């Protein structure tokens, strides 16, 4: 899938181009660094604003089984021209919001069209699992998309591009009773989270081209969010988003024991031979199936300010 994010989102990937001299001497290859992220953001933001000023949107019902009840809705985007001069530009819509996201030391504008916030119980964190349908397209490419799914798919937020991840955390899924999976796998649903997000390349794939996506491309995703599951990838009792130790909303770069398995996928975070789940105590006090920080007891047996599950020196079993 195009949406699978390359493993370490903070590391800047360098595209290397090699310039060979005609005389084939041993001169070192020339490495071309990525563009300046702050400068590229200025360019991308101007392009996105131009799109928002020259396009309108329309919500359309989708009918799958021949009856008069729509199964779900999609958003159609189109250019304002003489034939539809009365349409409202997206930038003037009361449903459009701007979310500020800081990444790699750069402040980005993420533009989100809030079609429906969703009626479910919870919003996903940046590391939770989400069931979605979607269509991805390039800016100013109104007729074609580079990727889509009409049958709901489960994605781990932790592995998606930052612009998608930060937008979806503002929405909820639907109530379970309002979601039905049809015999062909497509959904019939109401009250689901529904958004269109306009993503600068710095929160997308930046200089790394993908199939159908040139480098430095701002992106548009129309996303329908149906379900949210709190993720605990390693099943150690600590939800994956709470294993973001440095607070950067990324979990791939938190690796306490340096074994190249980030804490959210490591059953023994400090590598002391005692499983993380045995060095903490978790009680779902309100039995809602969602673990919050106040429902986890952490220990520090040697009093050095480091929690047992992150401290190689503390390894006592707590749940015998």
């Amino acid at each position: 899938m195009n949406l699978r994010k390359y493993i370490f989102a903070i590391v800047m990937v360098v595209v290397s181009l090699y310039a060979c001299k005609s005389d084939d001497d041993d001169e070192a290859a020339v490495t071309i660094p990525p563009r300046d992220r702050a400068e590229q953001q200025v360019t991308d933001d101007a392009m996105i604003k131009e799109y928002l000023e020259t396009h309108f949107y329309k919500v359309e019902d989708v009918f799958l089984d021949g009856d008069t009840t729509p199964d779900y809705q999609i958003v159609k985007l189109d250019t304002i021209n003489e034939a539809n001069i009365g349409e409202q530009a997206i930038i003037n819509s009361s449903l459009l919001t701007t979310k500020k996201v800081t990444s790699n030391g750069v402040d980005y504008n993420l533009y989100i069209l809030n079609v429906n916030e969703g009626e479910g119980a919870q919003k996903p964190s940046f590391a939770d699992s989400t069931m979605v349908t979607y269509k991805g397209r390039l800016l100013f490419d109104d007729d074609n998309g580079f990727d889509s799914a009409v049958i709901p798919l489960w994605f781990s937020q932790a592995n998606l591009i930052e612009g998608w991840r930060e937008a979806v955390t503002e929405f909820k899924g639907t109530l379970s009773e309002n979601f039905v999976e049809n015999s062909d796998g497509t959904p019939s649903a109401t009250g689901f989270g529904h958004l269109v997000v306009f993503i600068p390349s710095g929160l997308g794939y930046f200089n790394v081209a993908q199939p159908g996506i040139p480098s430095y491309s701002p992106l548009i995703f129309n996303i329908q969010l149906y379900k949210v599951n709190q993720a605990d990838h390693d099943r150690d009792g600590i939800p994956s988003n709470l294993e973001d130790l440095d607070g950067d909303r990324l979990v791939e770069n938190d690796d306490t024991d340096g074994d190249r398995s980030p804490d959210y996928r490591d059953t023994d975070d400090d590598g002391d031979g005692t499983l993380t789940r045995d060095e903490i105590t978790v009680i779902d006090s309100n039995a809602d199936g969602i673990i919050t920080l106040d429902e986890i007891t952490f220990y520090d047996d040697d009093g050095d300010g480091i929690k047992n599950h992150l401290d190689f020196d503390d390894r006592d079993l707590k749940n015998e």
Side-chain angles (χ1 to χ4, degrees), residues 26 31 43 87 138 143 162-163 168 186 204 221 230 264 293:
D26 294 329
T31 300
T43 299
E87 296 289 350
L138 301 176
D143 296 326
E162 199 164 1
V168 172
T186 58
F221 281 101
Q230 185 180 57
Y264 86 108
L293 188 60

Side-chain angles (χ1 to χ4, degrees), residues 9-181:
I10 291 297
V11 174
M12 294 176 62
V13 179
V14 177
V15 175
S16 298
L17 300 177
Y18 297 94
C20 298
K21 290 176 64 70
S22 58
D23 58 0
D24 292 328
D25 63 14
D26 294 329
E27 183 176 345
V30 177
T31 300
I32 307 300
R35 296 175 186 172
D36 181 89
R37 283 183 173 269
E39 293 177 0
Q40 187 62 39
Q41 163 58 7
V42 172
T43 299
D44 288 352
D45 194 58
M47 291 175 62
I48 293 173
K49 284 182 177 177
E50 180 184 354
Y51 185 95
L52 298 174
E53 291 167 352
T54 57
H55 286 70
F56 70 98
Y57 75 93
K58 182 167 54 176
V59 179
E60 293 187 352
D61 293 330
V62 176
F63 300 87
L64 298 173
D65 46 16
D67 60 18
T68 58
T69 303
D71 293 279
Y72 62 96
Q73 294 177 318
I74 59 173
V75 173
K76 292 286 189 180
L77 304 173
D78 204 353
T79 307
I80 297 175
N81 54 36
E82 292 183 1
N84 51 47
I85 196 65
E87 296 289 350
Q88 182 188 55
I90 299 171
I91 201 164
N92 295 323
S93 172
S94 61
L95 300 182
L96 186 71
T97 60
T98 304
K99 181 175 182 178
K100 302 290 184 180
V101 177
T102 301
S103 180
N104 292 292
V106 177
D107 293 331
Y108 291 95
N109 293 323
L110 195 62
Y111 296 93
I112 305 170
L113 191 64
N114 185 341
V115 182
N116 191 347
E117 183 181 5
E119 299 174 357
Q122 67 182 112
K123 295 179 179 179
S125 77
F126 54 86
D128 284 338
S129 297
T130 54
M131 176 191 276
V132 299
T133 52
Y134 65 92
K135 181 175 183 179
R137 62 200 297 179
L138 301 176
L139 212 61
F140 296 107
D141 186 11
D142 292 336
D143 296 326
N144 302 304
F146 57 78
D147 193 15
S148 64
V150 296
I151 294 176
L153 299 174
W154 280 101
F155 283 126
S156 171
Q157 289 269 98
N159 297 327
L160 300 178
I161 58 173
E162 199 164 1
W164 171 302
R165 188 168 65 240
E166 290 294 339
V168 172
T169 56
E170 304 297 323
F171 292 79
K172 302 175 183 177
T174 185
L175 298 171
S176 58
E177 60 266 28
N178 292 335
F179 177 88
V180 176
E181 185 174 328

